[in-house]
Amino acid sequence: MTLIVPTIDLTDESMFERNEFWPALAWLRENDPVHWHEEADGPGFWALTRYADIAAVYADHEGFSSRYGMRLGSNADAVAAVSQRMLIVSDPPDHTHLKRVLSREFGPSELPRLERTVRRVAAEVMDEAVVTGDIDFLEIAKLLPNYVVCAAMDLPREDWAWLGQITTEAFEGEDEVRRSGAHGEIFLYFEDLVHQRRGGDGDDFVSRIARARRASEVPGEERLLTDEEIIFNCNGVLAGANETTRYSTAGGLLALIERPEQWARLRTAGPEGIAAAVEEILRWTVPGVHALRTATRNAEIGGKQIRAGERVTLWNVSANRDESMFDAPDEFRFDRSPNRHITFGAGRHLCLGARLARIELAAFLTELIDRVDRAELRGTPRYNASNFTWGLNHLPVRLVPKRAA
């Protein structure tokens, strides 16, 4: 029997805007899981769609580098400017040294402070949402992660709204010029902040990072982070914290609206149910669609020969629907277990903000269950046009509050 090969173009961002990319990924998993993907205006790239292959590449940081860019369509000059100085586009040893410094700010010792902040912000945001009633839920979903990360980074309260807006523009601007300009504005903002706080004894996020020391290029010695390292990674923390939680929160609400039986069971499931639902929402929504690596040496994956210098894309969104890893992966089950999703990547590049994102989603679900009887769809959901950071950008809903006892 002749195999009919469909036309697959993972660079067609309109396919993601229409939410119509799932069949293409399913076909690749089944028929060509290590797929050579031609590009109209580029050298082409490998597309990996099975969980096991993707996890293996994540684990091999020596054979597959992040320093040459971590997404399709990135500007090579912009990547070169931040390479080995920004966490997401660096390899060991620089990646290890930078992550060690930054992870302290989101580590176990900071959890009580972060959890208090998240609970306070989630209550404030849901107060507003329930009172409003009919809303575009994305306006609410944007507030929770933005307010939390700005508070966690000790940024001036009067700047929060602008930072949320400019971060959205950096990822969802109409063209590359606008997106690059927005990133530039964020860099300038943090440059001013570093200049104000460098050398001080403040207990805020930037001051602590500015006093932190990392291993230097001279064995056995340490040095302060450079201004550029602080600025680039503050931008990374701000962007990463905003995008993932926003899309997961909105996508999780839509999944529960479309499955009232799941919502009914979740409302009575208690804390364990909320913890499980957080993981299923993350698996289901997977805002980080793909990650890019560059092969540093010849390798074989799934019987295909990868040559040094070739680009390899890891489609997290496909790994989370891999039939060999998940039972009935196209079903949303709030109590799914086990649930070893790959939404935050894996290995050394496991997302720095994964813990914070989970805390935020748990707080959102807790507030939703406490305050809302049901949510109703009031229009057509819409998605953004991106094959990198993807999710709902319009979700008209009515939140029906619980009746007072």
Side-chain angles (χ1 to χ4, degrees):
M1 184 175 70
T2 303
L3 180 65
I4 299 175
V5 181
T7 300
I8 292 176
D9 183 4
L10 297 177
T11 67
D12 176 11
E13 296 190 331
S14 68
M15 179 171 63
F16 293 84
E17 185 178 25
R18 299 190 305 272
N19 191 25
E20 294 177 356
F21 58 91
W22 302 102
L25 294 173
W27 190 92
L28 287 173
R29 282 196 306 274
E30 176 68 22
N31 299 285
D32 192 10
V34 183
H35 169 72
W36 178 252
H37 193 298
E38 299 287 350
E39 282 182 293
D41 56 353
F45 57 89
W46 292 99
L48 274 56
T49 51
R50 285 186 182 167
Y51 187 104
D53 294 332
I54 290 170
V57 171
Y58 271 129
D60 186 3
H61 64 271
E62 293 182 353
F64 297 92
S65 172
S66 302
R67 68 184 300 174
Y68 303 105
M70 45 84 68
R71 68 176 179 88
L72 293 169
S74 55
N75 181 289
D77 292 335
V79 171
V82 300
S83 180
Q84 295 299 94
R85 293 185 288 176
M86 189 174 186
L87 197 64
I88 57 174
V89 285
S90 63
D91 296 326
D94 291 287
H95 180 272
T96 305
H97 302 326
L98 289 168
K99 192 167 189 177
R100 185 173 292 129
V101 170
L102 293 167
S103 62
R104 294 173 195 151
E105 300 300 321
F106 300 95
S109 65
E110 293 296 314
L111 276 183
R113 180 177 74 92
L114 293 173
E115 288 177 339
R116 288 193 299 271
T117 299
V118 170
R119 286 196 297 269
R120 183 183 74 250
V121 171
E124 292 174 1
V125 167
M126 288 304 295
D127 271 344
E128 180 180 341
V130 172
V131 169
T132 304
D134 282 22
I135 54 173
D136 179 354
F137 189 75
L138 263 297
E139 295 305 314
I140 299 300
K142 290 176 181 179
L143 296 180
L144 175 59
N146 184 57
Y147 285 8
V148 167
V149 73
C150 286
M153 296 178 74
D154 306 296
L155 302 178
R157 180 65 181 82
E158 61 270 21
D159 297 339
W160 291 6
W162 177 80
L163 285 165
Q165 177 184 347
I166 200 68
T167 301
T168 298
E169 185 74 9
F171 285 90
E172 296 184 9
E174 294 181 3
D175 51 50
E176 184 60 31
V177 173
R178 292 196 179 191
R179 293 191 291 269
S180 297
H183 277 295
E185 289 193 55
I186 297 171
F187 286 145
L188 289 173
Y189 175 84
F190 283 113
E191 182 179 15
D192 288 342
L193 209 57
V194 170
H195 289 165
Q196 293 170 24
R197 299 180 179 180
R198 168 78 89 179
D201 58 359
D203 192 38
D204 60 278
F205 180 91
V206 173
S207 295
R208 292 194 302 269
I209 294 294
R211 291 195 299 270
R213 306 186 73 86
R214 53 153 290 182
S216 78
E217 293 72 17
V218 179
E221 294 186 7
E222 292 186 332
R223 64 167 175 82
L224 296 172
L225 270 66
T226 66
D227 286 0
E228 289 80 7
E229 286 172 332
I230 299 170
I231 293 163
F232 295 155
N233 287 289
C234 282
N235 173 69
V237 169
L238 180 70
N242 265 296
E243 297 301 303
T244 299
T245 309
R246 177 206 311 181
Y247 291 132
S248 289
T249 302
L253 179 62
L254 178 60
L256 292 168
I257 290 173
E258 293 177 335
R259 298 162 181 83
E261 77 288 350
Q262 293 278 305
W263 168 241
R265 291 176 55 211
L266 175 60
R267 292 176 66 188
T268 62
E272 289 186 4
I274 288 176
V278 166
E279 299 308 316
E280 180 67 345
I281 288 171
L282 290 168
R283 182 193 75 88
W284 186 255
T285 57
V286 61
V289 176
H290 81 267
L292 176 69
R293 297 291 185 265
T294 301
T296 61
R297 60 193 178 203
N298 294 342
E300 180 179 318
I301 304 175
K304 301 290 183 69
Q305 299 300 315
I306 314 296
R307 292 177 295 184
E310 290 181 333
R311 296 177 301 161
V312 179
T313 53
L314 315 179
W315 292 85
N316 302 322
V317 72
S318 178
N320 278 4
R321 300 291 180 97
D322 190 335
E323 298 81 358
S324 68
M325 190 67 184
F326 302 96
D327 177 49
D330 292 326
E331 294 180 13
F332 178 90
R333 300 174 179 174
F334 86 88
D335 55 354
R336 180 182 295 275
S337 180
N339 194 346
R340 296 180 60 193
H341 63 77
I342 206 164
T343 294
F344 294 116
R348 290 176 181 265
H349 276 270
L350 183 69
C351 178
L352 184 68
R355 183 182 287 111
L356 183 58
R358 287 184 165 102
I359 293 172
E360 290 174 350
L361 280 170
F364 159 69
L365 289 175
T366 299
E367 293 291 334
L368 189 72
I369 290 169
D370 285 349
R371 298 166 184 266
V372 174
D373 180 69
R374 66 186 183 279
E376 301 170 349
L377 201 58
R378 305 294 289 175
T380 302
R382 295 199 303 265
Y383 295 84
N384 70 332
S386 173
N387 65 359
F388 176 58
T389 306
W390 172 84
L392 289 159
N393 63 12
H394 179 61
L395 181 62
V397 300
R398 171 176 294 170
L399 299 181
V400 180
K402 286 184 175 180
R403 293 181 179 178

